[in-house]
Amino acid sequence: MENMIEVRHLCFEYEENQPIIQDVSFTIQKGQFVAILGHNGSGKSTIAKLLIGLLEKKSGEIIVAGTPLTQETFYDIRHDIGIVFQNPDNQFIGATVRDDIAFGLENKCVPPEEMDAIIDSFSKRVGMYDFLDHEPSKLSGGQKQRVAIAGILAMAPKILILDEATSMLDPRGKKEINELVKKLRQESDMTVISITHDIDEALQSDQVILLNQGKVEKMGPSDEILRDKETLLRLGLNVPFAYMVSERLKKDGYLDQIEIRQERLVDQLCQFVSKK
Ligand SMILES: Nc1ncnc2c1ncn2[C@@H]1O[C@H](COP(=O)(O)OP(=O)(O)OP(=O)(O)O)[C@@H](O)[C@H]1O
Ligand SMILES: [Mg+2]
């Protein structure tokens, strides 16, 4: 397994003597899908900004694909990372949706004759093809998020960071984007970091890094972390929806074990019914 991102003893403060990120260490392997999960203000977006060099660390190390992130390597590393920020209003440059997606591709030196096909394809994949000539500022929050995601995915980044990037989408929209990211991962071995406080969103990931007040509280496989009810509730998070349902069903004798994934819960119930 190849390490894509290594973070070692990372510390950061916005104001002197007010530590925000405190001795954070983790490793993300190539092709992995990792969720950074934590309550509001736990430092998730700050970590994302540190990873792309938008904020400068106080101490510690960030190594991307074997290269330490420094002022000299910043530009090359940024090239490999696509980030969709939390607030879609701050990420548009173009006068139209088409110009906006094109801007990122121009920066990546994609030949102009290939550009239209890429823009058409990704705008279709996020359901925004009919809006290519619209002004980004006049779109709804969810539509802006779709365009921001299309713009980043069109650039085929090696690492994709989604910072609450689907927070304004309805459940169906979230599902569509999740499916799209899943498909692109299968096609390209893209490494994905999904930043969220939505536990059901974190279920998509292989690994979870659980943050609490700027420190790593726990990390490990999502199946393990997302069933740790005591820790999740203590950190002000929810348990997965399937957990709540299966806890009740187990209490009433309909299930033998707690499930955190809805598909597994349905399987278990079907087995129970067929045994009857
Ligand atoms: N520009 C800033 N200047 C000073 N403090 C900041 C700044 N940005 C964030 N903070 C503080 O840093 C801490 C971490 O903020 P951050 O935005 O990283 O949290 P988050 O986990 O992304 O939260 P949310 O879930 O609300 O997006 C918070 O206490 C916040 O008040
Ligand atoms: Mg945030």
Side-chain angles (χ1 to χ4, degrees):
M1 274 287 193
E2 195 181 318
N3 288 344
M4 200 60 178
I5 294 177
E6 292 170 75
V7 171
R8 295 187 193 145
H9 306 295
L10 185 64
C11 295
F12 173 80
E13 51 195 31
Y14 287 102
E15 282 157 43
E16 220 177 321
N17 297 325
Q18 288 180 18
I20 295 289
I21 301 301
Q22 304 184 57
D23 196 21
V24 163
S25 299
F26 57 82
T27 301
I28 297 176
Q29 281 156 359
K30 187 174 176 188
Q32 249 183 353
F33 188 142
V34 175
I36 299 183
L37 181 66
H39 55 76
N40 290 137
S42 57
K44 304 181 296 294
S45 296
T46 303
I47 289 186
K49 288 175 190 159
L50 287 162
L51 286 179
I52 59 163
L54 210 61
L55 291 172
E56 206 177 325
K57 64 185 191 267
K58 183 179 180 214
S59 59
E61 256 187 310
I62 297 171
I63 302 165
V64 180
T67 306
L69 179 67
T70 62
Q71 298 221 324
E72 289 74 47
T73 61
F74 162 78
Y75 191 75
D76 285 343
I77 287 178
R78 253 330 292 273
H79 226 70
D80 290 338
I81 308 183
I83 181 162
V84 184
F85 289 106
Q86 197 161 2
N87 182 351
D89 283 326
N90 301 337
Q91 40 201 317
F92 295 111
I93 298 158
T96 63
V97 168
R98 180 183 292 281
D99 289 350
D100 201 79
I101 302 176
F103 183 79
L105 295 172
E106 278 162 17
N107 268 348
K108 267 222 139 175
C109 302
V110 171
E113 61 275 17
E114 288 172 25
M115 235 181 247
D116 277 344
I118 298 175
I119 295 171
D120 287 357
S121 160
F122 278 92
S123 60
K124 274 182 194 154
R125 292 176 93 166
V126 300
M128 291 300 291
Y129 180 67
D130 292 339
F131 294 83
L132 279 176
D133 297 322
H134 287 231
E135 242 180 85
S137 63
K138 292 191 177 151
L139 299 174
S140 75
Q143 289 171 331
K144 283 178 189 164
Q145 286 194 322
R146 286 174 188 265
V147 172
I149 290 166
I152 294 299
L153 290 178
M155 289 194 282
K158 287 186 190 150
I159 301 169
L160 172 68
I161 304 178
L162 300 169
D163 185 356
E164 316 256 8
T166 59
S167 57
M168 296 174 188
L169 297 187
D170 51 40
R172 200 166 84 191
K174 277 187 201 213
K175 196 159 174 244
E176 280 165 21
I177 298 296
N178 285 337
E179 293 289 325
L180 175 57
V181 170
K182 198 168 157 190
K183 192 142 186 290
L184 292 172
R185 280 182 71 213
Q186 284 162 356
E187 289 167 13
S188 70
D189 210 14
M190 182 168 68
T191 306
V192 180
I193 302 176
S194 169
I195 293 179
T196 182
H197 53 250
D198 180 337
I199 206 93
D200 286 299
E201 191 109 350
L203 277 170
Q204 313 285 329
S205 66
D206 314 313
Q207 299 277 320
V208 174
I209 299 169
L210 200 51
L211 275 193
N212 182 25
Q213 296 184 343
K215 293 183 187 156
V216 175
E217 178 83 20
K218 264 190 162 189
M219 59 185 151
S222 49
D223 277 302
E224 185 186 311
I225 303 290
L226 300 179
R227 65 172 66 243
D228 183 351
K229 181 180 177 185
E230 183 273 322
T231 306
L232 293 172
L233 295 184
R234 180 165 49 79
L235 300 194
L237 299 162
N238 285 324
V239 291
F241 177 69
Y243 188 114
M244 289 191 286
V245 177
S246 59
E247 192 176 42
R248 181 65 204 266
L249 290 169
K250 184 168 176 266
K251 198 163 149 243
D252 293 344
Y254 294 108
L255 275 186
D256 296 330
Q257 62 189 52
I258 300 278
E259 298 293 348
I260 58 170
R261 295 175 197 279
Q262 288 185 39
E263 318 81 71
R264 295 266 310 154
L265 173 58
V266 171
D267 284 352
Q268 292 295 320
L269 282 175
C270 289
Q271 281 185 28
F272 179 84
V273 172
S274 65
K275 268 193 257 165
K276 284 274 145 188

